[in-house]
Amino acid sequence: MEPVKVALVGIGGMGGSHFRNIIENEMYQLVGVCDIGLHRKDVQERRKIAKDKGIPFFRDYKAMYRKVDCEAVFVAAPHHWHARMTIDALKKGCHVFTEKPPAGSTADVMKMIAAQKKAGKLVAVGFNPSASPAVQAVKRHIANGDLGTIKQVTLAILWWRENSYYRRAKWVGRMKIDGVDCSDGCMCNQGSHGIFQALYLASEKKHPSLSAPSDIEANLYRFHTASQFEAEDMACVRATLDGKKGKKLLAYITTDIKDKEDFCDIIGTKGRIRVGEPHIILNDGSKITVKQEEGVPSKQQNFALAIRGEAELYCPLEEGAKQVLLTDGAYASLKRKVKVAPWGALEDGCAALMRAVEQRCLISELKDKPDWA
């Protein structure tokens, strides 16, 4: 296929991964890169690589959009830039691949969807599980009816971050920055891939459909003490899915806990599975082997194939927006207020979270809930 001419906004952090994938991929021709972080060693190194390859470098993404002839744009900037950079690229007539989360608020993601419809271009959201052979295999079984009607999905994203993590850049851990929604808590950052996966597998419809959340209830806490940290580092969220009272998502997400395993459990009327395990366990005790496909294209490859009309996007914007609907709904349920919990109670908080996981409830519903909850 003819290579897709692409420009990249952001070559530090996650942008560095896209930079490597694009320049090493015959499906793409990188024609421009942009970053403002020239103080960063990784940005300096990639800028030099780009220069050596004759790829122009810009500090202003709008200048790059004006001067570079490209079919598509990759957006790998901080959360609060995703919406405006995507909308400006669509106005230029480009397809867009944006990093997760697609935006920091429902309002911003709806503006993106409106701009996409007006432009008639593709917008992909880079959720990692969308390109996972294991997740894709489970989705095929669910769409085939092997688990029956999905009744409950339980997601646990159990990470640890030092206080220094929340001091690494001025946007990190912020709810708003420069008047724009950022929502950089554990839900939109560490948990966003998992939330995508849970909503994707909750839907019995074929790829790329996600379930839509509603009636969202949440406990949101902040233990870390970094002065700029405004968002949550522990979240318990419960939502109704697809408007069906008997269909629930339970999500437990934190950056406060060490040495725990993430998981995603799917329960249907016919059976259950934990994502990554080799079998679906049916209600009668029998098993269905989950068969993964080999040679699954990466999310970057899928985007190029979709532009050329040779594949369906792994995660189109309208589906990926449902992750934002869940996280923004969790904030809205608490009037956008995150409860501050004492750093000295962190061990107690993690124990309470794990009891809530075991009981499949919110921390606030525990009979022995902590005083700070």
Side-chain angles (χ1 to χ4, degrees):
M1 63 178 255
E2 181 182 355
V4 176
K5 291 182 179 179
V6 63
L8 171 61
V9 184
I11 57 174
M14 286 303 302
S17 175
H18 290 302
F19 180 79
R20 290 189 298 273
N21 283 322
I22 291 168
I23 62 174
E24 294 172 1
N25 195 323
E26 294 181 354
M27 293 181 176
Y28 289 108
Q29 178 186 351
L30 187 58
V31 296
V33 295
C34 174
D35 206 298
I36 62 171
L38 292 179
H39 61 286
R40 293 177 52 145
K41 184 178 180 180
D42 57 346
V43 172
Q44 294 170 8
E45 291 172 349
R46 288 159 198 150
R47 182 187 184 186
K48 184 179 185 304
I49 293 170
K51 182 179 179 180
D52 292 344
K53 292 180 177 292
I55 301 167
F57 176 89
F58 299 84
R59 294 195 67 182
D60 180 352
Y61 82 92
K62 290 184 178 180
M64 182 173 73
Y65 287 2
R66 288 194 304 269
K67 296 179 181 180
V68 167
D69 177 23
C70 60
E71 300 171 74
V73 172
F74 274 71
V75 174
H79 302 177
H80 60 292
W81 284 100
H82 291 181
R84 68 188 111 169
M85 288 178 170
T86 295
I87 290 169
D88 288 342
L90 290 166
K91 289 178 179 177
K92 175 181 167 64
C94 293
H95 305 287
V96 182
F97 180 109
T98 182
E99 260 300 335
K100 61 78 184 172
S105 68
T106 300
D108 282 346
V109 83
M110 291 305 169
K111 292 175 184 176
M112 295 167 73
I113 291 171
Q116 179 194 10
K117 290 180 177 178
K118 184 175 180 179
K121 297 295 180 178
L122 299 177
V123 178
V125 185
F127 290 114
N128 290 340
S130 67
S132 162
V135 173
Q136 290 183 4
V138 174
K139 178 67 168 181
R140 287 192 294 272
H141 282 287
I142 290 170
N144 192 49
D146 292 340
L147 274 81
T149 300
I150 303 303
K151 305 300 290 182
Q152 182 172 297
V153 179
T154 304
L155 171 73
I157 304 295
L158 308 172
W159 291 21
W160 167 253
R161 288 285 186 261
E162 300 285 351
N163 263 304
S164 58
Y165 171 85
Y166 293 103
R167 302 188 186 103
R168 61 194 171 90
K170 69 176 185 177
W171 63 272
V172 175
R174 300 287 294 278
M175 289 298 291
K176 276 183 179 286
I177 186 164
D178 300 328
V180 181
D181 289 308
C182 187
S183 305
D184 187 41
C186 61
M187 291 189 296
C188 266
N189 196 320
Q190 291 77 20
S192 61
H193 293 297
I195 291 170
F196 162 83
Q197 175 177 286
L199 294 175
Y200 180 62
L201 298 179
S203 174
E204 298 93 345
K205 296 178 182 178
K206 293 182 179 180
H207 171 86
S209 175
L210 275 68
S211 281
S214 62
D215 301 323
I216 299 165
E217 304 169 86
N219 297 155
L220 303 179
Y221 306 105
R222 179 171 67 252
F223 288 89
H224 282 80
T225 58
S227 60
Q228 72 180 43
F229 191 26
E230 301 168 341
E232 80 291 342
D233 54 20
M234 183 178 290
C236 301
V237 183
R238 179 168 57 215
T240 297
L241 299 177
D242 300 323
K244 301 174 182 177
K245 290 186 178 180
K247 186 175 185 179
K248 299 291 183 181
L249 167 66
L250 292 162
Y252 303 92
I253 305 167
T254 190
T255 55
D256 295 329
I257 200 164
K258 296 180 180 179
D259 304 321
K260 295 293 183 181
E261 298 265 337
D262 297 349
F263 68 82
C264 184
D265 288 344
I266 319 293
I267 298 175
T269 54
K270 292 183 180 179
R272 67 187 188 277
I273 186 170
R274 175 164 289 189
V275 177
E277 293 190 348
H279 301 102
I280 294 168
I281 309 300
L282 298 177
N283 294 341
D284 63 5
S286 61
K287 298 178 180 180
I288 298 175
T289 300
V290 177
K291 295 182 180 179
Q292 299 182 24
E293 291 184 352
E294 296 182 358
V296 172
S298 69
K299 57 187 181 181
Q300 293 89 354
Q301 290 171 328
N302 169 257
F303 183 51
L305 291 168
I307 290 172
R308 293 291 179 251
E310 299 178 20
E312 187 174 20
L313 283 179
Y314 283 158
C315 183
L317 177 61
E318 284 198 74
E319 295 300 325
K322 294 172 184 174
Q323 174 262 317
V324 182
L325 297 182
L326 181 79
T327 55
D328 207 35
Y331 289 128
S333 73
L334 299 170
K335 298 181 179 180
R336 312 196 80 77
K337 293 181 181 179
V338 176
K339 186 174 287 188
V340 178
W343 180 252
L346 184 63
E347 184 176 346
D348 183 39
C350 293
L353 177 68
M354 296 313 296
R355 291 197 301 276
V357 171
E358 183 178 350
Q359 296 177 35
R360 300 299 195 260
C361 68
L362 302 180
I363 288 178
S364 61
E365 294 171 336
L366 293 169
K367 291 182 180 179
D368 56 347
K369 70 177 182 180
D371 292 340
W372 47 262

